[in-house]
């Protein structure tokens, strides 16, 4: 098949010109009216820092925050997928009590502002769980060891491990509500005739879900699940409010110490865009290469 050639319409040029003009007005407004002195030359040093003593490059504030954001997004997505799948199955269960409990959880989380949910989960669940498991003492013990390269690769600074886990738990519990609805829709999209046929040959409910329903449902929900993962990456900025040191939190630190307000936040926006746009291209590639049947 021939690849379609994209031709620019006159309206595309108009929109591009408007965007450029808007950016130029903002730029001159900041430089002139606010008498703001741009310091873009300092930004690269806050991404990668050269250590003359060791003779090597180190990740500085912004790159540290970006790496932590990626860690939190990966771990939260796995936990949210597990919890969301359980919730989605519970939403389609035969037992009325299980269905109502799952629906209550989903409806409450989907209709409360994310900031409120983050604080509720952090103070009433995440902090209590970390204290009960004595994670802070365990993490400090790991941090005192000499060979902790593997631990730092997966979790970063082990002294901040409880904060990282708090963020992962809070974000996963919030996002699991949306994943649960996606899984529920996927399960209900499987034809009733297939489920009846499974029961007619003596399959139990567990076998029916395991061998018939879930394989088809999870394949069908891949596109919305991909979009939800990208939303999770963006939503991870919310947990900076509970002092989880991801990209947004590190940017606030950078602004507070350098007063480079616009440079820091524009760079952070670009980093989020690169990460999310790269993920969208990856998921689009996976969707097109996946078998249709």
């Amino acid at each position: 098949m021939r690849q379609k050639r994209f031709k620019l319409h006159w309206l595309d040029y108009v929109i591009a010109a408007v965007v450029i003009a808007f950016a130029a007005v903002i730029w001159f407004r900041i430089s002139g009216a606010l008498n703001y002195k741009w310091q873009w030359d300092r930004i690269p040093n806050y991404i990668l820092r050269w250590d003359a003593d060791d003779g090597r490059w180190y990740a500085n504030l912004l790159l540290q925050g970006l790496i932590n954001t990626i860690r939190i997004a990966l771990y939260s997505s796995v936990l949210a997928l597990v919890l969301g799948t359980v919730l989605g199955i519970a939403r389609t269960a035969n037992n009325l009590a299980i269905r109502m409990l799952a629906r209550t959880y989903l409806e409450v989380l989907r209709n409360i502002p994310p900031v409120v949910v983050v604080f509720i989960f952090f103070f009433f669940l995440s902090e209590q769980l970390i204290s009960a498991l004595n994670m802070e003492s365990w993490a400090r013990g790991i941090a005192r060891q000499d060979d902790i390269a593997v631990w730092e690769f997966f979790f970063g600074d082990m002294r901040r491990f409880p904060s990282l886990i708090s963020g992962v738990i809070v974000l996963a519990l919030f996002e699991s509500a949306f994943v649960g609805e996606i899984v529920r829709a996927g399960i209900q999209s499987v034809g009733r005739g297939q489920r009846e046929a499974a029961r007619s040959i003596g399959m139990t409910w567990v076998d029916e879900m395991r061998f018939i329903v879930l394989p088809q449902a999870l394949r069908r929900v891949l596109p919305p699940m991909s979009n939800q993962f990208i939303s999770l990456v963006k939503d991870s900025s919310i947990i900076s409010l509970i002092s989880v040191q991801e990209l947004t939190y590190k940017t606030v630190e950078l602004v507070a110490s350098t007063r480079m307000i616009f440079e820091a936040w524009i760079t952070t926006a670009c980093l989020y865009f690169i990460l999310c746009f790269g993920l969208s291209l990856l998921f689009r590639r996976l969707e097109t290469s996946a078998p249709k049947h």
Side-chain angles (χ1 to χ4, degrees):
M1 294 180 64
R2 294 181 179 178
Q3 293 183 350
K4 294 182 179 180
R5 293 183 178 180
F6 294 96
K7 294 183 178 180
L8 293 177
H9 193 262
W10 66 267
L11 185 59
D12 298 321
Y13 292 104
V14 172
I15 294 174
V18 170
V19 171
I20 293 172
F22 178 76
V25 169
I26 297 297
W27 183 280
F28 289 116
R29 186 75 178 165
I30 293 172
S31 302
L34 298 180
N35 196 25
Y36 186 80
K37 183 180 180 181
W38 296 94
Q39 303 178 68
W40 283 108
D41 56 306
R42 297 177 61 190
I43 286 294
N45 188 53
Y46 289 100
I47 299 175
L48 282 173
R49 175 178 59 86
W50 173 258
D51 192 317
D53 296 332
D54 293 344
R56 53 181 296 189
W57 292 95
Y58 285 94
N60 211 345
L61 284 174
L62 293 178
L63 187 55
Q64 290 172 5
L66 179 62
I67 293 171
N68 271 339
T69 294
I70 295 172
R71 288 193 185 105
I72 291 167
L74 286 174
Y75 302 151
S76 299
S77 63
V78 172
L79 185 56
L81 179 61
V82 173
L83 295 175
T85 302
V86 173
L87 288 168
I89 294 173
R91 284 278 282 114
T92 60
N94 296 325
N95 188 287
L96 178 61
I98 294 176
R99 288 204 311 272
M100 292 307 297
L101 285 172
R103 182 172 182 178
T104 301
Y105 179 87
L106 295 176
E107 293 296 340
V108 167
L109 263 66
R110 291 170 62 211
N111 293 284
I112 293 180
V115 175
V116 178
V117 174
V118 164
F119 280 115
I120 290 174
F121 277 138
F122 177 69
F123 289 113
F124 292 99
L125 183 59
S126 181
E127 279 289 283
Q128 306 301 323
L129 181 63
I130 287 173
S131 298
L133 297 177
N134 199 22
M135 283 189 184
E136 291 188 6
S137 299
W138 175 81
R140 283 196 298 268
I142 295 292
R144 293 191 193 101
Q145 297 177 8
D146 295 329
D147 188 12
I148 58 170
V150 175
W151 290 101
E152 289 184 340
F153 176 80
F154 286 104
F155 303 109
D157 187 355
M158 288 303 297
R159 294 171 297 180
R160 303 289 183 181
F161 179 79
S163 173
L164 178 75
I165 295 301
S166 293
V168 168
I169 293 173
V170 167
L171 195 59
L173 289 172
F174 172 69
E175 294 292 335
S176 64
F178 299 91
V179 174
E181 277 298 281
I182 294 173
V183 173
R184 189 268 310 163
I187 291 174
Q188 292 182 341
S189 70
V190 177
R192 186 180 296 272
Q194 296 187 49
R195 305 186 69 171
E196 292 175 351
R199 296 190 196 110
S200 68
I201 61 175
M203 274 191 174
T204 63
W205 182 84
V206 174
D207 288 339
E208 173 191 330
M209 296 298 295
R210 180 182 175 186
F211 297 109
I212 305 297
V213 178
L214 285 181
Q216 297 182 69
L218 293 179
R219 192 180 305 115
R220 293 176 182 180
V221 302
L222 279 178
M225 204 72 79
S226 302
N227 292 332
Q228 190 59 42
F229 179 71
I230 295 174
S231 296
L232 185 149
V233 173
K234 294 182 288 185
D235 291 342
S236 66
S237 62
I238 301 174
I239 61 176
S240 63
L241 297 173
I242 55 175
S243 300
V244 179
Q245 299 199 358
E246 43 72 66
L247 181 54
T248 300
Y249 185 91
K250 292 291 188 180
T251 305
V252 173
E253 282 189 341
L254 177 59
V255 171
S257 61
T258 64
R259 297 298 178 184
M260 293 191 299
I261 301 172
F262 295 105
E263 296 94 333
W265 286 114
I266 291 173
T267 304
T268 297
C270 291
L271 291 174
Y272 273 117
F273 175 80
I274 292 170
L275 179 58
C276 294
F277 185 67
L279 288 171
S280 67
L281 293 178
L282 174 62
F283 290 139
R284 192 180 306 168
R285 182 69 176 268
L286 292 175
E287 289 171 19
T288 55
S289 62
K292 300 299 181 182
H293 302 285

